[in-house]
């Protein structure tokens, strides 16, 4: 195949610097502001705005969109590096730019001449009706965004709104910094007796954490080389990075060690966390959280909403706070009986292991014992069957069979510039060898990288005919999996396999779009409570026997996952599903209620709300010191504020969508093609409800979700849950 780098407009990561990106961001903002200044100068007033020709208005809009590409690109690279390669220089420049970006974004959203051009397009009914659906949808969404950015507010309130936006961007970054710093500041060197029960892979992880600890302490001057030379080798250190944390919590026999690590994890960035940042400042997120809620409430009031939850839901599938709350509480009612049975099962086994009262730091450990006893299943026994290279090749085979696409890795002389040696780049082709886009995989945990897994839709499919500019989609897919250790490739747990499938199909949603209007291409413009539909949908293939056969191969023997282990894995699919569902509902309801509350809650009110939700939903006591909320980045530093319910909402959609494949055959090419054409290819160019119904042929039903979770309804069940959910979605 020919060189495609120029078609993809890839970034030269080898030759960029944070300061150069900073200059590019500032230059791009200046250019865009100059365009807005000229638009203002050429507009005499509102009366003249109303007479703008729709055709010229669209030309102005398209020109402005194109001008903003440079800003989206330079800021996209910088913000990405701040997430995956954070250091003092990148963080300082990133944060220094936040107020400038916030001010620019608010100016755009409140720029009356630009808003008037969008209005002119929408109000010319004949012209608007003739637009391609994607462009029309983009115009509708833009008008909504203008309103939510205060375009209709009087000048004094616009200025207050701008100040709020700027402060919120800074506070969210601070929240995220505190979590990253608190996570990476913790290190607990272990004694030999504390390591009983840990697996070989777990010990390798702890040894690797020990090497990182020694390097960090040497660089900080806390330890000398002589001190390090005196330490045993290997040197085992427990950390709060997820692979290490889970290795200890799942397998360490030392209960007191598990409790110590649990407490450290759930008190990160709280009043119980004594770590400080490089400036010696506290990492406690308490004040930051209350300030964020207060500012969001002020923002909602300025826009005429009763609370911030209403602001959030105004752009989602769900219609109201009451509908979402009803959906969550009804689902909790369905999950609770199963969750209670789950808990009884764990308590029984805990007592068999000398634990009279099951505690949160025992759950993963005892759950592993139950799996081994009840299902003859051990995560460590099946981990060697999921080496990352085999999982990737199987994943690519799955999507190739479903969607008629091909994935090709760029390597050797064809390799592209990357931000870290661990990163790999792939290209995506259609069946006829047409290039569709490209993606980067950055899958392993390391210092300076924030936790979790995500897809960053860095570059959208986009066309600008005036300058013959064509841009194919490119995305970053990021994970925090166990790296290759002891000469073997990364070996994944099945949970990590599910995460990989999940994030990869977020990427496919971005890459397979045929929409060339950037604002609604790929995941752009998709309602937040539907954006998880494709990703959760794809996890089903990592549970299916035929799919597992494609992704499993023992790292030493090449043997596929044996039938008995496959049967055990599938039998354990819904193990603890009730408890896991209640956990997600607890988080979702907490998020919804703190954003629906007026007046805005202070830190004590936040904790009180969380306790109230736990009393309503949870079936197991949580320690008083647990400060989960202080690390809830999704809602305080991400885009999920009053939207965390989206995971369960979209899970309903994804389960119902997959039921179509269950009916037709999970590798049915016609069904795969239909899903690609009605959901993946259209992006946000139509409402998510329309896309779903175009694929499924009807409205969504909760039945498949309940069945997949082990909460199946009787055939004649006409409960409030089913009826309400069908009405909502």
């Amino acid at each position: 195949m020919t060189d495609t780098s120029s078609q993809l407009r890839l970034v030269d990561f080898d030759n960029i610097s944070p300061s150069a990106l900073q200059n590019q961001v500032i230059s791009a903002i200046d250019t865009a502001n100059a365009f807005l200044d000229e638009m203002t100068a050429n507009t005499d007033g509102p009366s003249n705005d109303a007479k703008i020709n729709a055709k010229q208005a669209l030309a102005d809009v398209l020109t402005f969109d194109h001008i903003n590409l440079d800003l989206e690109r330079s800021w996209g690279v910088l913000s990405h590096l701040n997430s995956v390669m954070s250091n003092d220089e990148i963080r300082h420049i990133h944060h220094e730019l936040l107020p400038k970006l916030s001010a620019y974004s608010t100016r755009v959203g409140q720029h009356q001449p630009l808003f008037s051009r969008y209005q002119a397009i929408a109000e010319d009914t004949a012209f608007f009706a003739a637009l391609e659906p994607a462009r029309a949808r983009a115009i509708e969404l833009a008008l909504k965004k203008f309103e939510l950015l205060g375009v209709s507010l009087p000048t004094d309130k616009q200025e207050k709104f701008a100040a709020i936006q700027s402060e919120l961007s800074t506070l969210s970054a601070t929240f995220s910094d505190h979590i990253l710093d608190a996570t990476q500041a913790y290190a607990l060197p272990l004694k030999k007796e504390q390591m009983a029960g840990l697996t070989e892979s777990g010990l390798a992880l702890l040894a690797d954490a020990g090497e990182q600890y020694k390097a960090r302490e040497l660089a900080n001057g806390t330890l000398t080389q002589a001190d390090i030379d005196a330490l045993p080798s290997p040197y085992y250190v427990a950390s709060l990075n997820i692979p290490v944390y889970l290795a200890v919590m799942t397998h360490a026999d030392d209960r007191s060690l598990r409790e110590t690590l649990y407490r450290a994890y759930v008190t990160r960035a709280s009043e119980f966390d004594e770590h400080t940042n490089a400036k010696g400042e506290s990492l406690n997120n308490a004040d930051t959280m209350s300030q964020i809620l207060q500012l969001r409430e002020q923002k909602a009031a300025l826009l005429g909403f009763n609370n911030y939850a209403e602001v959030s839901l105004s752009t989602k599938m769900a219609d109201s706070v009451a509908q979402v709350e009803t959906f969550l509480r009804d689902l909790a009612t369905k999950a609770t009986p199963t969750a209670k049975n789950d808990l009884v099962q764990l308590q029984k086994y805990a007592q068999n292991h000398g634990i009279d009262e099951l505690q949160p730091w025992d759950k993963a450990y005892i759950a592993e014992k139950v799996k081994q006893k009840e299902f003859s299943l051990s995560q460590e026994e099946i981990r060697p069957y999921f080496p990352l290279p085999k999982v990737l090749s199987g994943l690519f085979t799955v999507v190739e069979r479903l969607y008629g696409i091909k994935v090709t890795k760029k390597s050797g002389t064809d390799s592209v510039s990357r931000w870290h040696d661990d990163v790999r780049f792939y290209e995506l082709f259609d069946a006829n060898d047409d290039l569709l886009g490209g993606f980067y995989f950055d899958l392993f945990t390391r210092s300076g990288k924030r936790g979790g897994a995500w897809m960053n839709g860095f570059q959208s499919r986009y066309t600008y005919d005036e300058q013959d500019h064509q841009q194919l989609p490119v995305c970053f897919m990021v994970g925090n999996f166990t790296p290759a250790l002891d000469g073997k490739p990364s070996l994944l747990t099945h949970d990590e396999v599910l995460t990989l499938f999940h994030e990869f199909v977020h990427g496919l949603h971005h890459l397979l779009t045929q929409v060339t209007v950037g604002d609604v291409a790929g995941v752009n413009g998709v309602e937040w409570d539907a954006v998880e539909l494709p990703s959760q949908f794809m996890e089903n293939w990592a549970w299916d026997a035929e799919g597992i056969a494609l992704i499993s191969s023992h790292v030493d023997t090449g043997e596929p996952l044996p039938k008995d282990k496959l049967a055990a894995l599938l039998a354990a699919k819904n193990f603890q599903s009730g408890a896991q569902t209640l956990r997600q509902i607890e988080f979702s309801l907490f998020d919804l209620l703190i954003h629906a509350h007026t007046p805005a809650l202070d830190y004590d009110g936040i904790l009180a709300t969380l306790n109230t939700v736990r009393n309503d939903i949870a079936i197991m006591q949580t320690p008083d010191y647990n400060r989960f909320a202080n690390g809830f980045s999704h809602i305080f530093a991400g885009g999920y504020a009053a939207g965390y319910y989206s995971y369960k909402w979209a899970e309903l959609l994804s389960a119902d969508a997959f039921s179509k494949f269950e009916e037709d055959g999970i590798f049915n090419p016609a069904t795969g093609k239909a899903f690609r054409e009605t959901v993946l290819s259209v992006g946000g160019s139509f409402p998510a409800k329309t896309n779903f119904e175009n694929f499924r042929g009807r409205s969504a039903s909760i039945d498949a979700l309940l069945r997949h979770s082990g909460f199946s309804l009787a055939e004649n069940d006409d409960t409030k849950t089913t009826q309400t959910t069908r009405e909502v979605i």
Side-chain angles (χ1 to χ4, degrees):
M1 297 182 180
T2 59
D3 178 53
T4 53
S5 297
S6 59
Q7 293 175 263
L8 293 171
R9 302 176 182 270
L10 298 179
V11 178
D12 184 3
F13 285 101
D14 292 328
N15 294 294
I16 59 172
S17 67
S19 58
L21 289 169
Q22 180 182 35
N23 291 334
Q24 290 170 21
V25 169
I26 292 172
S27 175
I29 290 175
D30 289 344
T31 299
N33 274 325
F35 182 86
L36 294 178
D37 290 342
E38 184 178 359
M39 184 181 288
T40 300
N42 293 334
T43 301
D44 295 328
S47 60
N48 196 39
D49 289 350
K51 299 174 184 177
I52 294 173
N53 177 275
K55 183 177 180 180
Q56 182 57 50
L58 180 60
D60 289 345
V61 165
L62 297 181
T63 300
F64 186 62
D65 282 349
H66 193 66
I67 287 173
N68 276 283
L69 278 186
D70 288 341
L71 175 58
E72 292 171 5
R73 186 176 187 81
S74 53
W75 175 246
V77 173
L78 182 61
S79 57
H80 171 66
L81 291 177
N82 188 55
S83 293
V84 297
M85 295 286 290
S86 183
N87 58 39
D88 289 343
E89 181 187 13
I90 292 173
R91 181 181 289 186
H92 173 75
I93 289 174
H94 176 271
H95 292 9
E96 190 176 64
L97 287 171
L98 286 174
K100 294 182 175 64
L101 283 156
S102 178
Y104 169 71
S105 175
T106 303
R107 186 194 182 197
V108 171
Q110 296 179 352
H111 195 267
Q112 190 65 45
L114 181 63
F115 175 57
S116 296
R117 280 155 175 77
Y118 279 92
Q119 285 182 309
I121 298 167
E123 290 170 0
D124 187 329
T125 53
F127 183 83
F128 187 77
L131 293 175
E132 60 173 314
R135 178 63 63 191
R137 175 73 170 164
I139 297 296
E140 291 174 350
L141 293 178
L143 287 169
K144 180 69 173 178
K145 187 175 180 180
F146 274 108
E147 293 294 338
L148 292 176
L149 285 171
V151 72
S152 301
L153 297 176
T155 302
D156 60 332
K157 290 187 177 181
Q158 285 187 338
E159 292 173 354
K160 184 177 181 181
F161 185 94
I164 290 172
Q165 290 286 87
S166 179
E167 194 170 353
L168 278 171
S169 68
T170 300
L171 287 169
S172 291
T174 298
F175 185 98
S176 186
D177 289 346
H178 287 174
I179 290 297
L180 178 60
D181 290 346
T183 300
Q184 301 202 345
Y186 185 86
L188 179 65
L190 298 184
K191 299 174 183 177
K192 183 177 180 179
E193 59 268 22
Q194 292 178 293
M195 295 183 289
L198 291 174
T199 62
E200 284 188 25
S201 64
L203 290 172
L205 276 171
L206 290 162
D208 184 61
E211 290 304 307
Q212 295 181 41
Y213 168 78
K214 288 189 285 188
R216 185 170 63 248
E217 296 305 296
L218 181 63
N220 292 340
T222 309
L223 294 177
T224 66
Q225 187 61 52
D227 294 329
I228 290 174
D229 291 342
L231 295 174
S233 183
Y235 189 56
Y236 297 107
V237 172
S239 75
L240 300 182
N241 285 327
I242 283 296
V244 177
Y245 177 76
L246 291 179
V248 174
M249 299 305 292
T250 306
H251 298 287
D253 292 335
D254 189 330
R255 192 183 187 206
S256 122
L257 170 61
R258 299 198 308 269
E259 181 180 3
T260 297
L261 210 59
Y262 170 83
R263 183 176 185 122
Y265 190 82
V266 301
T267 57
R268 290 175 303 158
S270 76
E271 67 269 33
F272 301 119
D273 190 340
E274 296 180 356
H275 295 111
T276 59
N277 62 18
K279 298 178 182 178
E281 299 166 337
S282 169
L283 300 179
N284 188 358
N285 269 331
D287 289 342
T288 302
M289 295 156 66
S290 58
Q291 288 177 59
I292 286 173
L293 290 187
Q294 289 166 16
L295 289 169
R296 285 174 178 169
E297 181 190 38
Q298 292 174 31
K299 177 178 170 180
L302 284 172
L303 295 173
F305 291 91
N306 293 315
N307 52 63
Y308 187 78
E310 291 184 357
V311 177
S312 176
L313 294 179
S314 68
T315 57
K316 293 180 171 63
M317 285 182 70
D319 293 328
S320 69
V321 172
Q323 285 182 322
V324 175
E325 184 173 357
T326 298
F327 165 69
L328 293 172
R329 291 191 184 277
D330 284 352
L331 186 55
T333 299
K334 286 295 178 187
T336 295
T338 302
K340 288 181 177 179
N341 290 335
D342 292 342
L343 183 58
V344 168
Q345 185 181 36
L346 291 185
Q347 288 171 330
K348 173 185 173 183
Y349 274 81
Q351 290 171 355
N352 292 340
H353 284 79
I355 298 173
D356 292 332
E357 186 176 355
L358 186 75
Q359 297 291 346
W361 50 89
D362 301 316
K363 288 181 67 176
Y365 177 78
I366 295 299
E368 182 67 12
K369 302 300 182 188
V370 175
K371 287 180 182 178
Q372 293 173 16
K373 180 69 174 177
E374 296 289 329
F375 305 105
S376 300
L377 178 69
S378 164
Q379 285 290 346
E380 286 307 302
E381 288 181 8
I382 67 170
R383 187 193 286 267
Y385 289 95
F386 293 113
L388 180 61
K390 177 61 178 179
V391 176
L392 287 178
S393 67
L395 169 58
F396 297 157
T397 298
V398 169
V399 297
E400 287 166 5
R401 289 176 62 179
L402 282 174
Y403 306 126
I405 55 180
K406 293 182 286 186
V407 180
T408 302
K409 180 181 177 182
K410 297 278 279 187
S411 59
T413 56
D414 292 331
S415 63
V416 302
S417 172
R418 297 159 295 151
W419 57 90
H420 191 276
D421 287 344
D422 287 343
V423 178
R424 297 293 179 264
F425 181 77
Y426 298 79
E427 293 173 333
L428 190 67
F429 294 88
D430 220 334
N432 58 6
D433 289 337
D434 286 342
L435 181 65
L436 296 171
F439 61 93
Y440 298 83
F441 265 154
D442 183 358
L443 297 179
F444 306 124
T445 185
R446 62 172 174 269
S447 179
K449 183 179 183 182
R450 72 176 173 90
W454 67 91
M455 188 283 293
N456 180 338
F458 163 66
Q459 178 176 289
S460 301
R461 179 179 284 271
Y462 167 78
T463 298
Y464 184 52
D465 293 334
E466 291 298 315
Q467 295 186 14
D468 194 27
H469 180 101
Q470 294 186 349
Q471 175 177 289
L472 291 176
V474 175
C475 65
F476 308 135
M477 292 186 240
V478 184
N480 273 278
F481 301 143
T482 304
L485 297 168
D486 296 335
K488 293 184 178 181
S490 173
L491 303 178
L492 305 185
T493 66
H494 190 256
D495 285 344
E496 289 175 326
V497 171
L498 294 173
T499 297
L500 182 62
F501 270 63
H502 181 108
E503 297 305 333
F504 183 68
V505 182
H506 271 313
L508 281 190
H509 197 184
H510 181 74
L511 297 168
L512 289 180
T513 187
Q514 291 302 299
V515 178
T516 58
V517 180
D519 286 346
V520 290
V523 297
N524 295 337
V526 178
E527 295 94 324
W528 203 265
D529 44 4
V531 78
E532 297 291 340
L533 159 60
S535 54
Q536 294 183 328
F537 161 81
M538 200 67 213
E539 292 178 25
N540 289 286
W541 275 263
W543 280 114
D544 181 83
E546 194 173 352
I548 289 174
L550 293 172
I551 62 176
S552 66
S553 174
H554 195 280
V555 66
D556 294 324
T557 67
E559 176 193 11
L561 190 68
K563 289 184 178 180
D564 61 331
K565 287 184 169 56
L566 172 60
L569 185 65
L570 296 177
K573 179 176 184 289
N574 286 325
F575 174 63
Q576 295 292 300
S577 64
Q580 290 166 3
T581 296
L582 290 190
R583 180 175 180 269
Q584 287 295 95
I585 292 172
E586 178 185 311
F587 297 168
S588 301
L589 196 55
F590 163 70
D591 165 45
L592 184 74
L593 295 181
I594 63 171
H595 285 103
H597 192 280
T598 52
L601 296 166
D602 59 13
Y603 184 60
D604 288 340
I606 293 170
L607 296 182
T609 301
L610 182 54
N611 287 334
T612 298
V613 171
R614 283 173 173 160
N615 289 335
D616 288 348
I617 302 298
I619 58 171
M620 183 175 177
Q621 188 71 28
T622 302
D624 290 340
Y625 60 74
N626 183 295
R627 294 293 183 266
F628 154 77
N630 291 57
F632 202 174
S633 297
H634 279 76
I635 68 170
F636 289 110
Y640 281 87
Y644 195 80
Y645 77 90
S646 299
Y647 283 103
K648 297 312 294 184
W649 187 279
E651 190 178 348
L652 184 156
L653 298 173
S654 69
D656 198 12
F658 182 66
S659 67
K660 174 68 173 168
F661 283 85
E662 292 177 306
E663 296 164 5
D664 299 345
I666 71 156
F667 281 105
N668 186 299
T671 311
K673 181 183 181 200
F675 189 77
R676 176 178 173 179
E677 291 178 347
T678 58
V679 177
L680 298 177
S681 295
V682 298
S685 60
F686 296 99
K689 182 177 173 63
T690 300
N691 294 339
F692 178 88
E693 292 178 355
N694 284 342
F695 171 69
R696 202 64 186 91
R698 56 166 173 74
S699 297
S701 164
I702 197 174
D703 292 358
L705 172 61
L706 297 175
R707 175 168 51 82
H708 286 183
S709 301
F711 316 146
S712 298
L713 289 172
E715 195 170 311
N716 63 350
D717 191 355
D718 191 27
T719 65
K720 181 182 177 183
T721 303
T722 307
Q723 187 64 34
T724 301
T725 305
R726 282 175 174 157
E727 288 175 353
V728 171
I729 300 182

